[in-house]
Amino acid sequence: MSFNPAALLLLIVGLGLIGWLAGRARSAMVAGRAGAKLHSRPQYHGWYVALWLFAPAAIFLAVWSSVAPAMITNDVLASEAAQRLPAFGFERSAILSDARGVAQGDQPSVRIEGAGPLVEPYRAATQKYGMIGIAAMLALALAGGLFAFTRIRPDFRARSRVERIVMGLLLLASLVAILTTFGIVLSLLFESIRFFQLVSPAELLFGTYWNPQSGAAVEGTFGGIPLFWGTVLIGAIIAMIVAIPIGMMTAVYLTQYAAPAVRRWVKPILEILAGVPTVVYGYFAALTVAPALRNFAVMIGIPNASTESALAAGIVMGVMIIPFVSSMADDSINAVPQAMRDGSLALGATPNETIRQVLIPAALPGVMGGILLAVSRAIGETMIVVMAAGLSANLTANPFASVTTVTAQIVKLLTGDQEFDSAKTLAAFALGLVLFVVTLLLNIVALRIVKKYREAYE
């Protein structure tokens, strides 16, 4: 019997539904027999039984799905057929993987010599631990359901218990997000400390030459200023020059001038831009925008114009983040009280003057929050930069030259087989830590501005 987590999850969901029906029916029956009024409605008794039936089995299913493969492999390695396997290495892993694929029905036959004798031990171990897991899961489900079922009585506070369980699940979901962020920070921090033991932090933050050697901590080759400048040039200057005016004018048009029918069509179409994969923007930048900009630069007499340029990446990145700016500006302008509009118009101001001197200043905190969030999104972009701006760490203000960013260099440093004890590879974690700190600060500032804006108009 195979241990299929998806099928078993559906099984325990079905058992939970049965438990809900049974608990609901029993609560009504107990109340009728005792002639007393239920403290909680029958549906809460049903949810109490269903949760006790589902939760222990689901937790066991998650744990068993993680540990069972290792136990199966240990059983196979202890079998007589595994004695002829290599002691270690890639060949050993490939043979085991091949045999496991056949035993679990993922492939029709073995592809590697030596994997055939291991198929039956794998099949037997899979069936053995599958039966153990299913039996234990069902036992936990039935024990939990029986425990909850026997507690049903008229004065039982089922609603309070169910709400407490739901609050615990919500708290757990919140903790997962917090702990995930905490783990990301720790992983970046530990590896960055290892890097800074080899390379000075001052060199990374203030050095002007970036050319990491293969695995060696060569002094003077880990200057991060070209990367930071490329990130600012593309994400915070060129992209914002494109995104802020277009996004703001779009928001003003949609909120003040567009007919309702036009707004209903234009706003969703504009927001589709936010859902386009970044690799699609990268192809557009590399195949269309970059060659056109190079031809334009040659036409106006700019020498040595590259087909990989900061301007191409920045323009396309600006187009990508227009929905972020326009959506926040749209919401902020709409949130300005109608009395401020009416008062401005009543004093004789034109609609144009009302927009420039009343609406936009009043909505400015929310607009600024949206702009800062858009900047955070832009400086973390990778695919557009890799495909359109190149990987050359140049410290230049020429927008037609090839530059690179922090994220693009992280991709370059971690591509292929890497040694995670070399300065070159560890540099990616240090760059990631710097980028994390910068984006975190931008998001904190943006959230504080938005909070201030909400307090003003709620």
Side-chain angles (χ1 to χ4, degrees):
M1 184 179 295
S2 62
F3 190 82
N4 188 332
L8 293 175
L9 182 61
L10 289 176
L11 174 62
I12 58 176
V13 167
L15 291 176
L17 177 60
I18 294 173
W20 183 81
L21 295 172
R24 190 168 178 271
R26 177 171 172 78
S27 65
M29 182 181 68
V30 169
R33 184 185 301 167
K37 185 178 179 181
L38 288 172
H39 173 273
S40 303
R41 291 183 178 181
Q43 64 188 27
Y44 288 106
H45 292 273
W47 279 114
Y48 183 74
V49 175
L51 287 170
W52 265 103
L53 197 151
F54 175 82
I59 293 171
F60 175 81
L61 177 63
V63 173
W64 191 257
S65 298
S66 301
V67 302
M71 298 169 69
I72 292 171
T73 302
N74 288 336
D75 262 26
V76 172
L77 292 176
S79 66
E80 186 177 343
Q83 301 306 313
R84 294 184 293 274
L85 280 175
F88 55 86
F90 175 77
E91 183 182 359
R92 174 193 179 96
S93 300
I95 292 173
L96 290 172
S97 178
D98 195 37
R100 180 170 58 249
V102 176
Q104 295 178 350
D106 296 332
Q107 60 190 60
S109 60
V110 295
R111 302 167 184 167
I112 303 175
E113 186 178 356
L118 298 176
V119 173
E120 284 306 319
Y122 251 119
R123 189 172 286 126
T126 301
Q127 292 178 351
K128 170 186 169 183
Y129 286 104
M131 293 179 65
I132 292 174
I134 292 172
M137 186 196 73
L138 291 177
L140 282 172
L142 293 176
L146 184 61
F147 167 77
F149 194 75
T150 56
R151 301 195 69 189
I152 295 177
R153 56 185 183 274
D155 61 342
F156 181 62
R157 298 175 177 271
R159 176 180 175 179
S160 301
R161 301 298 177 88
V162 169
E163 289 178 347
R164 194 176 303 167
I165 293 172
V166 172
M167 286 190 64
L169 292 175
L170 295 175
L171 176 62
L172 180 62
S174 302
L175 289 176
V176 167
I178 295 171
L179 293 176
T180 301
T181 305
F182 189 65
I184 292 172
V185 173
L186 286 182
S187 64
L188 285 175
L189 190 60
F190 289 149
E191 299 300 328
S192 298
I193 290 173
R194 293 177 59 195
F195 171 76
F196 290 130
Q197 291 173 347
L198 302 173
V199 178
S200 168
E203 180 180 344
L204 177 69
L205 296 176
F206 303 108
T208 58
Y209 179 68
W210 176 267
N211 185 25
Q213 305 299 317
S214 179
V218 179
E219 186 176 356
T221 60
F222 287 93
I225 290 295
L227 312 185
F228 303 145
W229 168 245
T231 302
V232 171
L233 177 63
I234 294 175
I237 297 178
I238 299 176
M240 290 300 107
I241 289 174
V242 174
I244 293 175
I246 297 177
M248 283 298 300
M249 288 189 288
T250 302
V252 169
Y253 171 74
L254 290 177
T255 57
Q256 303 301 314
Y257 295 108
V262 175
R263 178 181 170 84
R264 280 197 303 269
W265 282 96
V266 173
K267 189 172 174 63
I269 292 173
L270 180 67
E271 292 179 349
I272 288 175
L273 290 174
V276 176
T278 56
V279 68
V280 176
Y281 284 110
Y283 280 126
F284 175 65
L287 300 178
T288 305
V289 178
L293 288 175
R294 181 184 179 278
N295 294 336
F296 173 75
V298 171
M299 183 181 66
I300 62 176
I302 297 178
N304 302 322
S306 174
T307 53
E308 294 179 333
S309 65
L311 188 58
I315 289 174
V316 176
M317 194 180 296
V319 173
M320 181 188 71
I321 61 177
I322 284 173
F324 291 87
V325 178
S326 67
S327 181
M328 287 293 292
D330 187 306
D331 294 339
S332 301
I333 293 173
N334 275 327
V336 175
Q338 183 64 34
M340 296 182 69
R341 296 182 176 87
D342 296 341
S344 175
L345 295 172
L347 291 172
T350 65
N352 188 306
E353 291 171 337
T354 300
I355 292 169
R356 287 188 293 106
Q357 299 179 19
V358 176
L359 296 183
I360 292 180
L364 194 60
V367 172
M368 287 301 299
I371 290 172
L372 289 176
L373 290 174
V375 172
S376 299
R377 174 71 177 85
I379 66 175
E381 176 53 39
T382 304
M383 287 306 301
I384 295 174
V385 178
V386 171
M387 299 175 72
L391 297 172
S392 301
N394 297 321
L395 186 58
T396 176
N398 180 9
F400 292 97
S402 176
V403 297
T404 190
T405 63
V406 171
T407 53
Q409 284 299 310
I410 292 173
V411 171
K412 182 180 177 182
L413 292 171
L414 294 180
T415 300
D417 296 332
Q418 301 294 336
E419 298 177 359
F420 281 85
D421 57 352
S422 68
K424 180 181 177 181
T425 303
L426 294 174
F429 294 94
L431 291 174
L433 181 64
V434 173
L435 188 65
F436 177 83
V437 171
V438 171
T439 54
L440 178 63
L441 292 175
L442 285 173
N443 278 274
I444 290 173
V445 172
L447 291 174
R448 288 182 66 86
I449 292 174
V450 172
K451 182 179 179 182
K452 179 182 177 181
Y453 151 73
R454 286 177 177 167
E455 288 177 348
Y457 293 110
E458 278 184 353

